[in-house]
Amino acid sequence: MTDTSTRPRPSAIGWRLPPFYCPIEPAVHPRAGQLEQRAIAWLDSRGIFGNARDRAWSIATHSTDFSCRIIPYGDDEPLLLFIEWNHWAFALDDICHDTGSADIRTATIVDLNARIARCLEVPGSGMLGSSPFDAALEDLAARTRAMTTPVQLRRVTEGLRDWLFGAAWQVSNVERGVMPSLSDYVAMRPSINGTRFSLSWSEIAGGIRIPDHELYSAPVQALTEAAGFIVSCDNDLFSYAKEDSQETTDQNIVNVLAHERRCPAEQALEEALVIRDRAMTLFLDLRAQIARNAGLHLRRYLEALGHYISGCIRWMDAAPRYASPRNRYDLPVPGATYGITWRDSPRDTGTEPLPIASAAWWWEQLDAPVTACAATA
Amino acid sequence: MTDTSTRPRPSAIGWRLPPFYCPIEPAVHPRAGQLEQRAIAWLDSRGIFGNARDRAWSIATHSTDFSCRIIPYGDDEPLLLFIEWNHWAFALDDICHDTGSADIRTATIVDLNARIARCLEVPGSGMLGSSPFDAALEDLAARTRAMTTPVQLRRVTEGLRDWLFGAAWQVSNVERGVMPSLSDYVAMRPSINGTRFSLSWSEIAGGIRIPDHELYSAPVQALTEAAGFIVSCDNDLFSYAKEDSQETTDQNIVNVLAHERRCPAEQALEEALVIRDRAMTLFLDLRAQIARNAGLHLRRYLEALGHYISGCIRWMDAAPRYASPRNRYDLPVPGATYGITWRDSPRDTGTEPLPIASAAWWWEQLDAPVTACAATA
């Protein structure tokens, strides 16, 4: 972490994060700077933030860098829309879904989520309130509908629902005082991370028209979940400090393992890294296998999954949201970064399935054809 | 209602339901009797029900009649699987989702729903318990995965999630003590009813291979929601008495309107019928419009929507679940029926949009092309 004006309170997993294993070339959209200016102008024009501090923390999400690393070769207008969605979604996460408050009620979140989902799905549904935050979502939804084909819109709406599905489950754990088991966490974490929502924008902005029977084949779905899990593990490390002063213990891979193994955070971190690297090995092997017989659009989707993983690491490394977290800094620190390092090999050279029930099916896809489909009678 | 051994306690909307407007020819699968025997044998082999009374009430759902009227021309094996899913789903509804208890917790239901959804989506996810009811779902899920193509499986899983999404919202209203507004109710009711789950089986068992860009076009989605709403209104009438002794006021179209208009149930019923019939007029007009340029599979999907509406009325009319409800009878009454009547015209001859924000978009699809799609830049 770069030196900042005040030394931050220590993190249980350390400010110097362990080296990252990610043998995937990074890329970033060439017009990121220009897009960021437009996105911030949109935030200001919508009046979403009531004060300069909230505005600064929204900019500190580096939503543009996030979006432009996931989608390095995309069209400007849908990419801008995705950036703005991300500003909105981070705010929702911080204000409603992932507050860390023990008083959160799943009933309230489920109702809110239904209104959000239907706002995108049903033009004029009018299920939101009249705050600038609500009006901003109406604007995002209307522009998304206008910019997408029916299939693209469907993938965005399913992605949005999937994210809300994960968020509601996370909230239900907080309310019930439950730290999930490792297997349950692995099963749900890609949803909590909004994996499919982000990837639907990779398709739209990148002009990737992957056919349904390929996208929804078991190998491609397993690969997508594995990618979402890897990004989630990395997010859990970068956001560990950010969440460590909550009223309730944050649900992240380190705390899940510490709870399951009854071990300290440092030891849980070691196992988390092994699990994450083994998932990366699976991802690379399965992706290479699928690519061998893939058509143009499936190949481009496979590349998008790679950008998603490698882009998110670099984005989080340098986003003040994570590197100068709000529970330690009144305002984001410009230029704050974790200053991460890299490693060339996984911590674990095994290629057999992880002993995690919900993830075992990822490995079962090795040597399964993408086009496998049982015919109905 | 047929005469039964004891006169049932009156219902606020009367046991003699108002005549139904549904100018759609009914049909029923020719092997319904045989399929019902097989479905009951499955229930017994799985040991889902701990006593003869629960078993009798499951048979009283007439899940086979329900399924065989929705899918009158389908293949036996997927149709049987759908019947079994329905037995399972009615039990879940009665035991967990729609108990009428004021003590229900959304947090518990959201966790349960996540485990159910993932059971179908992730082979071996192991997120369920070990009861016969859980094992039955594992069996349904494994057989569904084995019997479907990736696209078909995706539609079933999205349909399942959509139903659970609606159920969780309904529970959240109960927990928060909220009777939804009319517009919110219309927006969510097709999900609560499991519309898309049922229709995904129409596709699978009926061999309907409607392409994504047609299924997810706004006109077809609006038509699907309108169909789901009509079936839901009808269900609200047939199940009104069944739900009228709950600890909490049931969320149905009559009670929603009575709450919104501050009027008695009889008056709310009148308005509910007008709304429902206007939706039926829209359904028929929009369906005819879409059919004009439809290919084979879209045409068959449009027919399936008709079977869904007209089949459900006849099924509910003669299902002891509704006609001899459990809050009035210790055991279902064999041969119980509402003995409904029909009418040839809608109660309301208007064709303009209903003044319900969340439904207005159904009418906007009149004269919109199915293949309308904005290209991405």
Side-chain angles (χ1 to χ4, degrees):
Chain A
M1 188 172 212
T2 47
D3 195 42
T4 53
S5 52
T6 53
R7 292 290 293 181
R9 179 165 56 77
S11 159
I13 64 167
W15 280 111
R16 172 82 42 206
L17 295 179
F20 283 77
Y21 170 58
C22 182
I24 301 171
E25 278 303 301
V28 63
H29 198 278
R31 288 182 295 285
Q34 184 184 325
L35 288 163
E36 182 163 43
Q37 292 311 309
R38 292 179 64 191
I40 293 171
W42 177 81
L43 286 177
D44 290 337
S45 75
R46 306 303 310 187
I48 296 177
F49 299 108
N51 59 63
R53 188 162 174 263
D54 286 345
R55 178 180 182 274
W57 281 108
S58 180
I59 294 171
T61 62
H62 279 198
S63 289
T64 300
D65 193 53
F66 168 61
S67 309
C68 288
R69 288 185 180 278
I70 298 182
I71 307 170
Y73 309 116
D75 295 321
D76 286 22
E77 296 312 309
L79 183 50
L80 175 66
L81 190 49
F82 179 49
I83 295 167
E84 293 167 4
W85 265 106
N86 284 318
H87 277 287
W88 187 90
F90 280 120
L92 181 74
D93 200 46
D94 293 344
I95 298 166
C96 298
H97 283 161
D98 195 13
T99 61
S101 162
D103 289 337
I104 199 160
R105 281 187 68 189
T106 313
T108 306
I109 297 299
V110 160
D111 180 63
L112 173 67
N113 287 355
R115 292 168 194 282
I116 291 169
R118 296 302 282 171
C119 177
L120 179 58
E121 295 165 13
V122 180
S125 55
M127 292 174 73
L128 298 169
S130 55
S131 73
F133 193 66
D134 294 324
L137 178 59
E138 290 281 9
D139 178 61
L140 294 171
R143 287 160 58 207
T144 301
R145 281 193 300 268
M147 198 181 280
T148 50
T149 66
V151 172
Q152 290 173 330
L153 179 61
R154 181 68 179 196
R155 292 191 186 162
V156 178
T157 60
E158 295 296 357
L160 180 62
R161 280 201 186 197
D162 186 52
W163 171 49
L164 299 171
F165 169 77
W169 185 72
Q170 190 177 36
V171 166
S172 89
N173 290 331
V174 171
E175 182 177 333
R176 294 176 303 127
V178 168
M179 179 60 69
S181 74
L182 175 62
S183 182
D184 290 356
Y185 187 69
V186 172
M188 295 298 291
R189 188 63 175 88
S191 296
I192 297 169
N193 202 55
T195 301
R196 288 187 170 81
F197 180 74
S198 291
L199 293 171
S200 72
W201 286 99
S202 296
E203 293 182 49
I204 295 167
I208 302 173
R209 293 174 183 266
I210 176 173
D212 270 52
H213 68 274
E214 292 182 357
L215 180 60
Y216 299 129
S217 69
V220 176
Q221 284 298 301
L223 187 74
T224 301
E225 294 206 350
F229 175 68
I230 294 164
V231 171
S232 298
C233 283
D234 295 342
N235 175 259
D236 282 353
L237 301 192
F238 282 108
S239 60
Y240 192 88
K242 182 170 94 63
E243 318 281 2
D244 72 357
S245 48
Q246 292 178 350
E247 225 175 284
T248 56
T249 307
D250 188 54
Q251 296 165 51
N252 59 51
I253 187 72
V254 174
N255 291 343
V256 160
L257 279 163
H259 181 262
E260 185 139 323
R261 310 294 187 224
R262 301 168 186 272
C263 71
E266 297 79 359
Q267 190 179 328
L269 173 63
E270 288 306 310
E271 184 175 355
L273 294 168
V274 168
I275 290 172
R276 183 267 186 212
D277 283 4
R278 181 89 73 90
M280 178 65 95
T281 299
L282 174 277
F283 174 82
L284 296 168
D285 290 349
L286 183 55
R287 189 171 74 144
Q289 172 195 302
I290 296 171
R292 280 197 286 277
N293 297 306
L296 173 66
H297 289 276
L298 177 53
R299 274 209 313 279
R300 296 188 58 210
Y301 180 78
L302 300 178
E303 283 163 20
L305 292 176
H307 293 309
Y308 181 49
I309 297 174
S310 80
C312 282
I313 299 172
R314 287 162 177 87
W315 153 62
M316 290 186 284
D317 182 39
R321 173 182 175 83
Y322 303 106
S324 62
R326 198 165 181 170
N327 60 355
R328 287 168 170 80
Y329 296 87
D330 183 52
L331 283 171
V333 177
T337 171
Y338 267 92
I340 59 162
T341 57
W342 302 92
R343 53 181 294 153
D344 294 333
S345 61
R347 282 164 182 85
D348 174 293
T349 55
T351 55
E352 65 276 21
L354 283 164
I356 300 172
S358 64
W361 79 296
W362 303 346
W363 280 265
E364 285 168 18
Q365 307 312 316
L366 289 168
D367 301 318
V370 164
T371 51
C373 60
T376 51
Chain B
M1 189 172 214
T2 47
D3 195 43
T4 54
S5 52
T6 53
R7 291 290 291 180
R9 179 165 54 78
S11 160
I13 64 167
W15 280 110
R16 172 83 41 207
L17 296 180
F20 283 77
Y21 169 59
C22 182
I24 301 170
E25 278 303 301
V28 63
H29 198 279
R31 289 181 296 283
Q34 185 184 326
L35 288 164
E36 182 164 42
Q37 292 310 308
R38 291 179 65 191
I40 293 171
W42 178 82
L43 286 178
D44 290 339
S45 75
R46 306 302 311 186
I48 296 177
F49 299 107
N51 59 63
R53 189 163 173 263
D54 286 346
R55 178 180 182 274
W57 281 109
S58 180
I59 294 171
T61 62
H62 279 197
S63 288
T64 300
D65 193 52
F66 169 61
S67 309
C68 288
R69 288 185 181 277
I70 298 182
I71 306 170
Y73 309 117
D75 295 322
D76 285 23
E77 296 312 308
L79 183 50
L80 175 66
L81 190 49
F82 180 49
I83 294 167
E84 293 166 5
W85 266 105
N86 284 318
H87 277 288
W88 187 90
F90 279 119
L92 181 74
D93 201 46
D94 293 344
I95 298 166
C96 297
H97 283 162
D98 195 12
T99 62
S101 162
D103 288 338
I104 198 160
R105 282 187 68 190
T106 314
T108 307
I109 297 300
V110 161
D111 181 63
L112 173 67
N113 286 355
R115 293 169 191 282
I116 292 168
R118 296 303 283 172
C119 176
L120 179 59
E121 295 164 14
V122 181
S125 55
M127 293 175 71
L128 298 170
S130 55
S131 73
F133 193 65
D134 294 324
L137 178 59
E138 290 281 10
D139 178 61
L140 294 172
R143 288 161 59 207
T144 301
R145 280 193 300 269
M147 198 180 280
T148 49
T149 66
V151 172
Q152 289 173 331
L153 179 60
R154 180 69 179 194
R155 292 192 185 161
V156 178
T157 60
E158 295 295 357
L160 180 61
R161 279 201 187 198
D162 186 53
W163 171 50
L164 299 170
F165 168 78
W169 184 73
Q170 189 176 37
V171 166
S172 89
N173 290 330
V174 172
E175 182 178 334
R176 295 176 303 128
V178 167
M179 179 59 68
S181 74
L182 175 62
S183 182
D184 290 356
Y185 187 70
V186 172
M188 296 297 292
R189 188 63 176 88
S191 296
I192 297 169
N193 202 56
T195 301
R196 287 186 170 82
F197 180 75
S198 292
L199 292 171
S200 71
W201 287 98
S202 296
E203 293 183 49
I204 295 166
I208 302 174
R209 293 175 182 263
I210 176 173
D212 270 52
H213 68 274
E214 291 182 357
L215 180 59
Y216 298 130
S217 69
V220 177
Q221 285 299 300
L223 187 74
T224 301
E225 294 206 349
F229 176 69
I230 294 164
V231 171
S232 298
C233 283
D234 295 343
N235 175 259
D236 282 353
L237 301 193
F238 282 108
S239 61
Y240 192 89
K242 182 170 93 63
E243 317 282 2
D244 72 355
S245 49
Q246 293 177 349
E247 225 174 285
T248 57
T249 308
D250 187 54
Q251 296 165 53
N252 60 50
I253 186 72
V254 174
N255 291 342
V256 160
L257 279 163
H259 181 260
E260 185 139 324
R261 310 293 187 224
R262 301 169 186 274
C263 71
E266 298 79 358
Q267 190 180 328
L269 173 63
E270 288 307 310
E271 184 176 354
L273 294 168
V274 168
I275 290 172
R276 182 266 186 213
D277 282 4
R278 181 90 72 91
M280 178 65 95
T281 299
L282 175 275
F283 173 82
L284 296 168
D285 290 349
L286 183 55
R287 189 171 74 144
Q289 172 195 301
I290 296 171
R292 278 198 287 276
N293 298 305
L296 173 65
H297 289 275
L298 177 53
R299 273 210 313 279
R300 296 188 58 211
Y301 180 77
L302 300 179
E303 282 163 21
L305 292 177
H307 292 310
Y308 181 48
I309 297 174
S310 80
C312 282
I313 300 172
R314 285 163 178 85
W315 153 61
M316 289 186 285
D317 183 39
R321 173 182 174 82
Y322 303 107
S324 62
R326 199 165 179 170
N327 59 353
R328 287 168 170 80
Y329 295 88
D330 183 53
L331 283 170
V333 178
T337 172
Y338 267 92
I340 58 162
T341 56
W342 303 91
R343 53 181 294 151
D344 295 332
S345 61
R347 282 163 183 85
D348 172 295
T349 54
T351 55
E352 66 277 20
L354 283 164
I356 300 172
S358 64
W361 78 297
W362 302 346
W363 280 266
E364 285 168 18
Q365 307 312 317
L366 290 168
D367 302 318
V370 164
T371 52
C373 60
T376 51

